Amino acid sequence: MNNPAAPSGMAPGTPPVLQLRGIGKFFPGVIANKDVDLDVWPGEIHALLGENGAGKSTLMNVVTGIYQPEEGEIILDGYGQTFTAPQEAIRAGIGMVHQHFKLVQAFSVAENIHLGWDEAPRLASPAVMEARTREISERFGFPVDPAARVADLSAGEQQRVEILRVLARRARLLIMDEPTAVLTPEETGELFRALRAFRAQGNAVIIISHKLDEVMEISDRVSILRGGRKVGTFRTADCNPTMLAATMVGRDIVRRNMRARPEGAAPIAPQPIMQLRHVSVRDDRGVETLRDVSLDLHGGEILGIAGVAGNGQRELTHVLTGLMARTSGEIMLDGSVVERADPALFAHAGIGHIPEDRLRSALAPSLSITTNMALREYAEPPIGRHGLYDAAAAGMLARDIADLADVTIPDFAMPIRNLSGGNQQRLVARREIRIASRVLVAAYPARGLDIGAIATMLGYLTDLRDQGVAVVFISEDLEDLLNVSDRIGVMFHGRMMDVIDAENADIATIGMLMGGREPTDLQPGGTQ
Amino acid sequence: MATRAFQRLPTAPAGRILALRLVAIVVSLCIIAGVLALSGHSPVMLAELILRSTLGSRFGLEDLALFMCPLLLTGAAVTVCGTIGLWNIGAEGQFYAGAIAATGVALGLHGPVLVMLPLMTIAGILGGMAWITVPTLARAYAGVNEIITTLLLNFIASLLTYYLTTGPWRDRISGAQVSTRRLSVSIPEMWGIVHWGFPVAIVIVVGLALVLSRTRWGYEIRIGGANPEAARYAGIPVRLRIISVMLLSGGLAGLAGMFEVAGTVHRLQGGMANNFGYLGIVVAVLARGSCLNVIPAALLMALILDSGIVMQTQQLSASVILAITGLILFMIAIGDELAHYRPVATTPAKGKAS
């Protein structure tokens, strides 16, 4: 499976455009890639699939010369290559379009195309550059306005400029990182048409994605990475989204039942604390990122949210914590409708939030540990009284939180960014658990923690549940989800596909729902 | 790879910063002495003269206090604004606006000092606030960069002052150029020519330090400045806080203008802001975001200005003082950066340097 013969219709002896053999790339304490083999043939669109942190981006950074691999070789058209700099990869015909465009916003399209290009004419007047750009744009079939300023272009148009930049440098292998993440459906359609045209000329494309249906639509073959290693390469025609989702997240799952309540634990409350009724959210581009989601959160229950990242989990967390306004539907707290998205109001109602990007959005890195630990309780006694801020009380609180989180802190006055990422994360988790008297929304709380710390984190969640708090636990890890959740909701394309009882849930069913299969299509105890 | 002899710390300890700043000042003084010696002045004589006429004499000390008073307030204005992550470059303009408003009250109304002084104070503060209102609203509601808007308004305020002092408000009694007549109301003097505005300015700076570290509002400002996203996450109304901080900043600079008019100059004069607004930025940079540090920073700046007067009596150009200010700031910036580095014990390479 790892070394298929050249696709049919190709002259015998044609080498692959790109061959990777045993690529390994290590960072301190992390194996980003190990033993990765990959073949990309001329005239093929090859999808690279995997969860966050599966090693896709690292692998592509190796191919484009941004990183140098510690192990393995890169073979282009049958010849071994080493890239010591990205420029060498570009000269060898490998072009990458990053998820976050690397364009100069204030420059025109023509200027961006010619920037850092050794074939740019020495005397480059705007007219000359625009004429050249027009010619390039027609040659490759990506229409752009050469004189337009990049800042004035839509995301789709900017992406076209990025692609042209790469193609103008004679790329034969185009690598695209999450190309559709910023596009509207129409723009996605245009992109795919252009990629097919590029393929028809005998070139190759590697497309990184975790949108399964797009992978199904555009790619000829799919390679799946998990934990830095390649799981396998499949012909897309032989795949379906369900099987891809299962392969992506699937592993040997150890089921441990953490649902059992200890003596004296709070039972699941019959009345929901919080309810979502047909809640939808649209982003600035008008794309619906959360579609018609209805949910009940009961005290004393853990609701797990499964799904491939980017299917509406972020929007769901933000709606549940008042950070994002809904476009339609209703949110009810204790039976009464909440009119406004107001994070202060939600926090005050006892809703804690461990956000996905906690180090960026839940902390002020340059301020002291004490100051950061007071973020949720500064307005309430003992810290906040009569508009004052009691630094001594805040210090006591910080000490309490650090003790509970089991983080040793030499000096509470030092900036919190001096702590390790893992410790910052534990402190945030503990701080949020403190205020979560009714609901805790925890987005990927175990991400980036080691195994022992993950167990502790899951223990925090079950402790909260036993105290009668409603816990929303968003994770990519099916094992953790199945072990602690009472119910599991599965998200796909912003929709809550189904909410199933965790006790009887099987991975195959969840995998199918994650791949977008309608629950009505599934047989009970469905097989794959 | 050679072993690194220095390691950069993410935060520099305060003691190191202080020590290196002293070194920086000494180095700057040596450079200045060298240049003066080359241009035919005796640095030793000059130094002696400067010390005697600034710190060593009553007049010098009085001048020092008068220089410090506006610098404390403009420095605090820039520092407060910086706490929420914004730069008020317009203290100079707000200074003029406060001075104009206070002068307007003094020229237009008549009453006992006990009524007039509070009225002028309020007018001065409101004048400064009014001058920063447009940049504030533009920043809070449209995200317009406050550095540009506050800066540009400085020129308008300065020209407005020239217009008033040569036009409608010009001195018709003594015929002084580019000036109003002497105001009938003034802040009482407490020590020689030092007026009560000086201790009030110190109290205000200390009070602000307390407000920023000991109130909810101050806490919210600090969080908003350090990470606006975290502030939003915590439910802090960042926009309202930006508005209140910027208005406070403008009010402080306006108060500085009122003090200068009613306490030191006793007239509105063209050019009277004397760069106090811009030097407030220097003070704030030296203070590194702490209100209490504004006091020593303003003292240092006042010493430099005071020395400048002495130097002018020795046929040195007035621009020398700007050059000296620049040099000291430059050296201090280098010192602050060096304070981040710690020598690492160069152990014989056991592992590979990463």
Side-chain angles (χ1 to χ4, degrees):
Chain A
M1 180 131 321
N2 283 343
N3 195 6
S8 56
M10 199 165 290
T14 309
V17 178
L18 171 74
Q19 264 182 304
L20 300 179
R21 285 290 166 266
I23 295 290
K25 175 70 196 170
F26 315 113
F27 296 107
V30 181
I31 297 175
N33 286 129
K34 177 80 181 150
D35 300 330
V36 178
D37 295 343
L38 192 72
D39 295 309
V40 181
W41 294 92
E44 124 168 293
I45 297 181
H46 197 113
L48 201 57
L49 199 60
E51 289 179 275
N52 280 344
K56 304 172 298 225
S57 297
T58 309
L59 188 65
M60 289 304 108
N61 284 335
V62 165
V63 172
T64 51
I66 293 170
Y67 292 151
Q68 280 71 51
E70 264 90 30
E71 292 174 356
E73 35 178 353
I74 301 172
I75 302 159
L76 284 178
D77 298 317
Y79 296 98
Q81 291 271 9
T82 46
F83 299 134
T84 53
Q87 288 76 19
E88 292 176 18
I90 292 169
R91 239 168 268 139
I94 298 179
M96 177 140 181
V97 174
H98 292 267
Q99 185 178 357
H100 303 287
F101 304 141
K102 302 190 183 314
L103 296 172
V104 181
Q105 294 287 320
F107 279 15
S108 72
V109 170
E111 285 165 334
N112 268 288
I113 298 266
H114 286 82
L115 190 64
W117 186 16
D118 44 17
E119 287 176 30
R122 203 162 288 280
L123 284 173
S125 70
V128 169
M129 287 196 288
E130 280 164 26
R132 285 173 57 98
T133 305
R134 201 164 294 119
E135 189 268 317
I136 293 166
S137 138
E138 278 159 18
R139 176 145 47 99
F140 293 105
F142 286 85
V144 291
D145 173 6
R149 245 167 48 109
V150 163
D152 300 332
L153 301 182
S154 73
E157 292 169 315
Q158 292 192 24
Q159 189 179 54
R160 254 181 265 156
V161 178
E162 278 274 13
I163 296 174
L164 271 183
R165 243 178 87 90
V166 169
L167 296 186
R169 287 156 178 74
R170 301 207 183 81
R172 291 173 304 117
L173 172 62
L174 179 63
I175 302 174
M176 305 203 70
D177 189 359
E178 300 269 352
T180 61
V182 292
L183 301 185
T184 61
E186 297 75 48
E187 288 173 330
T188 303
E190 282 170 33
L191 172 69
F192 284 0
R193 268 194 296 286
L195 290 182
R196 288 196 186 97
F198 183 64
R199 173 181 63 184
Q201 295 158 19
N203 299 306
V205 179
I206 298 180
I207 180 166
I208 301 178
S209 180
H210 47 220
K211 292 187 181 169
L212 303 175
D213 46 356
E214 288 177 3
V215 168
M216 292 298 298
E217 182 188 340
I218 185 74
S219 71
D220 301 302
R221 289 194 302 153
V222 190
S223 288
I224 298 179
L225 291 184
R226 192 200 301 148
R229 292 164 193 266
K230 195 176 85 169
V231 182
T233 299
F234 311 93
R235 284 174 21 131
T236 311
D238 303 337
C239 297
N240 59 53
T242 311
M243 164 257 176
L244 288 177
T247 317
M248 218 165 102
V249 299
R251 80 185 78 144
D252 300 332
I253 289 189
V254 184
R255 297 210 45 175
R256 278 177 306 134
N257 187 358
M258 293 174 75
R259 279 183 294 279
R261 281 18 181 208
E263 198 72 11
I268 297 179
Q271 287 299 321
I273 297 175
M274 207 170 165
Q275 290 167 288
L276 300 190
R277 287 284 166 269
H278 309 292
V279 171
S280 297
V281 169
R282 256 175 223 287
D283 66 10
D284 336 322
R285 290 173 294 130
V287 177
E288 225 173 21
T289 45
L290 204 60
R291 303 181 189 188
D292 193 24
V293 170
S294 296
L295 269 184
D296 284 350
L297 309 183
H298 294 270
E301 184 194 46
I302 297 181
L303 172 67
I305 303 287
V308 177
N311 272 294
Q313 291 95 326
R314 183 173 161 272
E315 289 75 15
L316 179 67
T317 1
H318 284 200
V319 163
L320 286 173
T321 51
L323 283 167
M324 193 181 273
R326 63 198 191 278
T327 2
S328 62
E330 276 184 343
I331 301 170
M332 280 174 279
L333 249 177
D334 292 317
S336 51
V337 177
V338 184
E339 293 295 343
R340 225 155 37 87
D342 174 1
L345 187 144
F346 281 69
H348 209 75
I351 298 171
H353 178 200
I354 304 177
E356 180 181 354
D357 51 354
R358 43 204 153 257
L359 306 187
R360 211 164 48 90
S361 64
L363 292 173
S366 60
L367 299 183
S368 72
I369 295 167
T370 302
T371 308
N372 272 287
M373 287 304 100
L375 188 61
R376 289 304 206 165
E377 294 177 53
Y378 72 92
E380 280 144 41
I383 300 176
R385 272 203 193 100
H386 316 299
L388 295 181
Y389 168 82
D390 185 340
M396 301 268 288
L397 172 76
R399 234 158 287 251
D400 282 354
I401 293 177
D403 282 348
L404 280 170
D406 206 17
V407 174
T408 321
I409 288 169
D411 175 11
F412 281 83
M414 77 182 182
I416 197 158
R417 63 163 172 239
N418 290 10
L419 295 177
S420 73
N423 280 345
Q424 294 182 35
Q425 208 171 151
R426 289 182 196 197
L427 290 175
V428 171
R430 264 292 153 194
R431 182 186 75 193
E432 295 307 309
I433 287 169
R434 264 185 72 93
I435 67 150
S437 57
R438 311 293 311 281
V439 178
L440 177 71
V441 180
Y444 311 101
R447 190 185 276 172
L449 297 180
D450 57 44
I451 293 177
I454 292 174
T456 316
M457 181 66 70
L458 297 182
Y460 290 167
L461 300 185
T462 52
D463 285 350
L464 273 182
R465 171 200 70 196
D466 295 340
Q467 292 158 26
V469 174
V471 177
V472 179
F473 172 38
I474 298 168
S475 178
E476 278 169 343
D477 192 309
L478 286 185
E479 181 176 325
D480 292 345
L481 281 171
L482 286 165
N483 287 343
V484 301
S485 310
D486 297 297
R487 289 182 298 153
I488 296 181
V490 185
M491 296 200 73
F492 175 76
H493 278 199
R495 278 174 59 203
M496 192 61 74
M497 299 302 287
D498 200 4
V499 180
I500 51 183
D501 209 3
E503 195 153 6
N504 307 316
D506 64 307
I507 294 165
T509 313
I510 295 178
M512 286 192 225
L513 292 169
M514 281 168 67
R517 192 73 72 83
E518 295 295 331
T520 45
D521 299 348
L522 302 175
Q523 300 298 317
T527 52
Q528 83 179 53
Chain B
M1 283 284 283
T3 45
R4 279 185 303 168
F6 291 95
Q7 181 193 6
R8 193 180 195 281
L9 306 169
T11 42
R16 281 182 80 84
I17 291 179
L18 191 64
L20 279 164
R21 282 187 167 195
L22 288 177
V23 172
I25 291 174
V26 170
V27 171
S28 321
L29 291 179
C30 291
I31 296 175
I32 295 160
V35 172
L36 287 177
L38 283 177
S39 58
H41 297 268
S42 159
V44 181
M45 230 186 67
L46 258 178
E48 198 197 335
L49 182 68
I50 287 172
L51 277 181
R52 201 155 16 89
S53 45
T54 54
L55 296 172
S57 78
R58 162 115 194 212
F59 286 128
L61 287 175
E62 287 177 7
D63 271 349
L64 205 59
L66 286 185
F67 275 130
M68 255 185 98
C69 180
L71 287 172
L72 284 168
L73 291 173
T74 54
V78 180
T79 300
V80 163
C81 220
T83 313
I84 201 160
L86 301 177
W87 281 100
N88 177 8
I89 306 296
E92 187 93 354
Q94 295 135 27
F95 182 105
Y96 276 122
I100 291 170
T103 308
V105 170
L107 292 178
L109 300 175
H110 297 282
V113 175
L114 276 180
V115 178
M116 289 300 287
L117 270 184
L119 277 181
M120 286 170 71
T121 307
I122 293 169
I125 294 172
L126 289 180
M129 286 183 172
W131 210 249
I132 205 177
T133 300
V134 171
T136 302
L137 297 179
R139 170 81 234 182
Y141 290 97
V144 178
N145 189 327
E146 76 287 350
I147 295 179
I148 315 275
T149 48
T150 52
L151 173 69
L152 293 181
L153 280 171
N154 287 345
F155 306 116
I156 299 176
S158 169
L159 291 173
L160 181 62
T161 311
Y162 276 110
Y163 164 72
L164 289 172
T165 50
T166 51
W169 289 358
R170 71 178 182 276
D171 187 355
R172 294 180 173 85
I173 298 161
S174 69
Q177 297 292 309
V178 205
S179 169
T180 61
R181 65 178 166 79
R182 196 183 160 90
L183 302 183
S184 51
V185 191
S186 67
I187 302 175
E189 276 148 10
M190 54 175 273
W191 185 66
I193 53 169
V194 180
H195 55 84
W196 279 95
F198 174 67
V200 170
I202 298 248
V203 169
I204 287 176
V205 169
V206 174
L208 276 175
L210 287 174
V211 164
L212 285 178
S213 62
R214 294 272 183 266
T215 66
R216 251 169 75 174
W217 182 84
Y219 179 84
E220 294 180 344
I221 301 298
R222 285 186 289 140
I223 295 282
N227 184 356
E229 206 176 325
R232 214 175 81 75
Y233 160 87
I236 295 168
V238 180
R239 183 176 286 170
L240 287 179
R241 295 296 171 267
I242 286 178
I243 293 174
S244 59
V245 166
M246 287 185 75
L247 289 180
L248 171 66
S249 177
L252 285 168
L255 185 63
M258 181 271 171
F259 279 0
E260 197 69 3
V261 159
T264 309
V265 183
H266 304 291
R267 304 160 175 270
L268 182 67
Q269 289 178 346
M272 71 177 293
N274 208 5
N275 285 340
F276 284 132
Y278 294 115
L279 294 174
I281 303 169
V282 176
V283 170
V285 169
L286 289 173
R288 294 175 69 92
S290 146
C291 272
L292 283 183
N293 287 352
V294 164
I295 297 174
L299 174 64
L300 176 65
M301 200 58 239
L303 257 176
I304 297 175
L305 290 179
D306 213 358
S307 316
I309 294 181
V310 181
M311 294 215 214
Q312 283 180 44
T313 64
Q314 300 302 305
Q315 281 82 49
L316 280 161
S317 151
S319 5
V320 167
I321 215 63
L322 276 176
I324 292 176
T325 313
L327 182 64
I328 291 184
L329 256 188
F330 178 62
M331 287 295 168
I332 283 181
I334 294 175
D336 283 2
E337 181 56 27
L338 288 180
H340 282 274
Y341 288 87
R342 189 179 63 178
V344 178
T346 44
T347 47
K350 279 180 186 155
K352 269 191 281 182
S354 58

